Amino acid sequence: MTTINQPSQEKPDLLVVKNLTKYFPVRSGLLQRVTAWVQAVDKVSFSVKYGETLGMVGESGCGKTTIGRAILRLIEPTAGEVYFDGEDILTMRSQSLKAMRRDMQIIFQDPYASLNPRMPIGESVMEGLQIHKIGHPKERWEIAVNMLKKVGLEEYHARRYPHEFSGGQRQRIGIARALALNPKFIVCDEPVSALDVSIQSQVLNILKDLQKEFGLTFLFIAHNLSVVEHISDRVAVMYLGKMVELTDRESLYREPLHPYTRALLSAIPIPHPNVKRERTILKGDVPSPLNPPKGCRFHTRCPIAIAKCSQEEPEFKEIKSGHWAACWLAE
């Protein structure tokens, strides 16, 4: 299992993100002039090693999905650098970017919305192969059927339409479509959040098995910290567009350094009727990304904040070996 503490030469970085920033304009008035900016992602940096799963967690609106889409240039970042396999993605032109996208795929949160309701799912899985002109029609069909079998479906399913499948089956179709181009890296954008618990475990096990078989690298975005613990090697915690903690899975769940991470972990239920976890209840609402607080963005809800927290923004730095955090009290 890969962790941040292992020597970097064992598994080099596949993806390197430096100061990734994405602001969305807010327009108003008759001329639709820009009057404000939504700071969805603000100077986020991290890396993902070959064959690793980096889990990314945080509340709704913290910028997780925006990061995943900006990395793939499904939305254009405002600033920053993204290097994939040593190449700068953000400077690529259309043809180079199209070729690169064979190696970078995404599993969307809502599988039904990402599938064409008028297209049999076999054709949906083949679509990427057609765009990249891989193989002949018969070969494409064989690849599509093979991918569907990899995720637990059968050949006859390839001729059915999206509305004929359950939520779990649709998510499997989304996984098969992402795998069809034999990518190196997949952004899993909350792939199990809308599924029943029993179906969640099936989909997670499929992802882990496929990762071993194909040597895949995942950025796994989720709300559920139990799910992230099950599948991730390292975990990054986001709050209001900023990364507040990053370390290997064991260190994060055993000894979290940031108070926001501790609050999230305290909400995980313990599967025993007589054992209760001491909860950390956060007061107030998440501030607006239109006008984030000065200093540490978490200080308005932090139970241990000091005066310095509201005045100066803490640096995201390595507190312990392989354990990064942005908190004045973490040391």
Side-chain angles (χ1 to χ4, degrees):
M1 183 177 294
T2 305
T3 69
I4 196 171
N5 294 320
Q6 291 180 319
S8 60
Q9 60 266 29
E10 290 187 8
K11 285 194 175 183
D13 293 330
L14 175 65
L15 178 75
V16 177
V17 178
K18 297 181 180 179
N19 296 320
L20 184 67
T21 302
K22 179 59 183 178
Y23 290 179
F24 292 97
V26 177
R27 302 179 184 274
S28 60
L30 184 63
L31 299 178
Q32 289 294 289
R33 290 175 176 163
V34 176
T35 56
W37 294 90
V38 176
Q39 300 179 28
V41 178
D42 192 10
K43 296 180 181 178
V44 170
S45 301
F46 62 93
S47 62
V48 188
K49 298 183 184 301
Y50 282 88
E52 181 185 39
T53 299
L54 176 66
M56 187 169 285
V57 298
E59 292 170 290
S60 295
C62 69
K64 306 183 302 294
T65 295
T66 303
I67 288 175
R69 296 188 177 215
I71 287 170
L72 302 178
R73 281 185 66 182
L74 297 179
I75 56 175
E76 290 294 333
T78 304
E81 302 171 68
V82 179
Y83 296 94
F84 180 78
D85 221 0
E87 298 187 50
D88 187 352
I89 293 175
L90 303 189
T91 61
M92 286 183 174
R93 297 189 179 275
S94 57
Q95 288 303 314
S96 300
L97 184 61
K98 180 181 177 181
M100 180 63 73
R101 280 184 170 150
R102 286 187 59 177
D103 292 327
M104 304 177 74
Q105 292 293 302
I106 184 170
I107 300 169
F108 291 99
Q109 180 178 358
D110 184 353
Y112 188 66
S114 65
L115 294 170
N116 187 335
R118 294 184 175 87
M119 184 182 289
I121 61 122
E123 293 184 22
S124 292
V125 175
M126 289 169 53
E127 198 169 17
L129 300 170
Q130 294 170 341
I131 290 170
H132 290 277
K133 300 178 181 178
I134 298 173
H136 300 294
K138 185 177 179 181
E139 293 172 332
R140 294 169 189 160
W141 179 259
E142 290 174 353
I143 292 172
V145 170
N146 184 46
M147 288 301 105
L148 289 172
K149 288 181 178 179
K150 291 284 184 187
V151 298
L153 298 175
E154 299 297 335
E155 182 173 358
Y156 64 84
H157 287 127
R159 295 179 176 84
R160 294 184 177 178
Y161 290 84
H163 73 272
E164 299 180 73
F165 295 91
S166 67
Q169 288 176 318
R170 289 175 195 151
Q171 199 57 275
R172 292 173 189 233
I173 295 165
I175 295 169
R177 189 169 60 171
L179 287 171
L181 292 171
N182 193 24
K184 298 177 183 177
F185 175 73
I186 299 179
V187 174
C188 304
D189 184 12
E190 302 194 36
V192 297
S193 62
L195 306 179
D196 294 336
V197 175
S198 60
I199 306 300
Q200 284 185 11
S201 62
Q202 293 175 18
V203 173
L204 290 174
N205 289 332
I206 287 172
L207 287 172
K208 292 184 76 172
D209 292 341
L210 292 172
Q211 184 176 33
K212 291 178 182 177
E213 182 176 350
F214 295 101
L216 297 170
T217 303
F218 291 144
L219 174 62
F220 191 90
I221 298 167
H223 284 99
N224 191 327
L225 282 154
S226 299
V227 168
V228 171
E229 183 181 16
H230 176 71
I231 198 169
S232 302
D233 298 313
R234 290 187 300 147
V235 181
V237 181
M238 294 286 299
Y239 182 79
L240 202 63
K242 290 278 189 179
M243 189 171 288
V244 297
E245 190 161 0
L246 172 65
T247 187
D248 62 271
R249 176 185 58 190
E250 290 81 6
S251 298
L252 187 91
Y253 285 82
R254 182 182 67 249
E255 192 179 1
L257 296 179
H258 199 280
Y260 178 61
T261 308
R262 290 197 287 268
L264 291 178
L265 292 175
S266 75
I268 300 175
I270 297 175
H272 193 287
N274 299 324
V275 180
K276 293 185 179 180
R277 194 189 301 272
E278 185 178 347
R279 285 293 310 273
T280 301
I281 306 297
L282 299 179
K283 298 179 180 179
D285 297 323
V286 180
S288 171
L290 276 169
N291 186 26
K294 183 183 176 183
C296 174
R297 296 191 176 186
F298 184 59
H299 84 266
T300 58
R301 304 173 72 199
C302 182
I304 59 172
I306 58 176
K308 190 177 183 180
C309 299
S310 62
Q311 298 164 3
E312 299 179 44
E313 182 178 343
E315 179 187 357
F316 185 69
K317 62 182 180 179
E318 193 171 18
I319 307 297
K320 299 179 180 179
S321 177
H323 199 150
W324 297 69
C327 179
W328 290 117
L329 301 174
E331 299 181 41

